[in-house]
Amino acid sequence: MAECIFCGILDGSIPSRKVYEDEETLAFLDVFPAVSGHTLVIPKKHSADIHSIDERSFVAVAKSAKKVADILTAKLGCDGISIFQMNREAGWQTVSHLHMHVIPRFNGDNLQKPWKVASATEESLETSHRRILS
């Protein structure tokens, strides 16, 4: 997977600033951070997205994201944490190697939710529910 930037980080050909590592995952600072301390957690085994990763590897990434969230909270004194995991272009994924964004949040950091919260209608909920269950 030579063209994958995250695989390049894993093999050492691309430098990174490691925050956490275990047998199955690596966490490093994002070079395009939303805020200072924004960290990415990746599986060491290449998987393009949530649809191609095996369950065990995804669980490992989730566990590491929790550890990184705890590290960032303890070391940076952040007021909260946002965790995102995006898939495919329509889902805002920009690197085709599964990753979780662990973003320390600070009161007044000016980050905004990526959607406007609005109540669904009963009809739209029912339609979605039927489609999912059919």
Side-chain angles (χ1 to χ4, degrees):
M1 228 355 88
E3 68 277 355
C4 174
I5 190 167
F6 291 168
C7 288
I9 288 171
L10 287 166
D11 72 18
S13 63
I14 297 173
S16 69
R17 289 186 167 77
K18 181 172 59 173
V19 171
Y20 174 80
E21 183 174 18
D22 61 27
E23 287 184 19
E24 298 181 79
T25 67
L26 176 67
F28 52 91
L29 292 178
D30 192 329
V31 296
F32 298 105
V35 297
S36 182
H38 179 164
T39 301
L40 301 177
V41 181
I42 65 171
K44 288 185 174 177
K45 177 182 168 189
H46 181 87
S47 294
D49 57 29
I50 198 165
H51 306 290
S52 62
I53 193 168
D54 63 90
E55 186 175 301
R56 181 173 177 257
S57 296
F58 187 76
V59 168
V61 171
K63 284 181 177 181
S64 292
K66 195 267 193 246
K67 289 177 183 177
V68 169
D70 291 344
I71 291 166
L72 297 178
T73 299
K75 299 296 186 174
L76 301 179
C78 52
D79 301 307
I81 294 282
S82 292
I83 297 177
F84 291 98
Q85 198 286 303
M86 296 100 135
N87 296 280
R88 300 180 178 166
E89 186 177 348
W92 306 332
Q93 183 179 14
T94 57
V95 176
S96 292
H97 185 124
L98 183 126
H99 55 287
M100 285 191 181
H101 296 257
V102 183
I103 305 169
R105 299 301 306 275
F106 299 91
N107 292 326
D109 63 17
N110 293 322
L111 293 182
Q112 298 179 16
K113 290 181 182 176
W115 63 89
K116 292 184 180 185
V117 177
S119 296
T121 64
E122 282 299 316
E123 181 181 352
S124 68
L125 289 171
E126 182 59 32
T127 299
S128 294
H129 192 234
R130 260 189 313 222
R131 288 184 68 198
I132 292 167
L133 296 181
S134 65

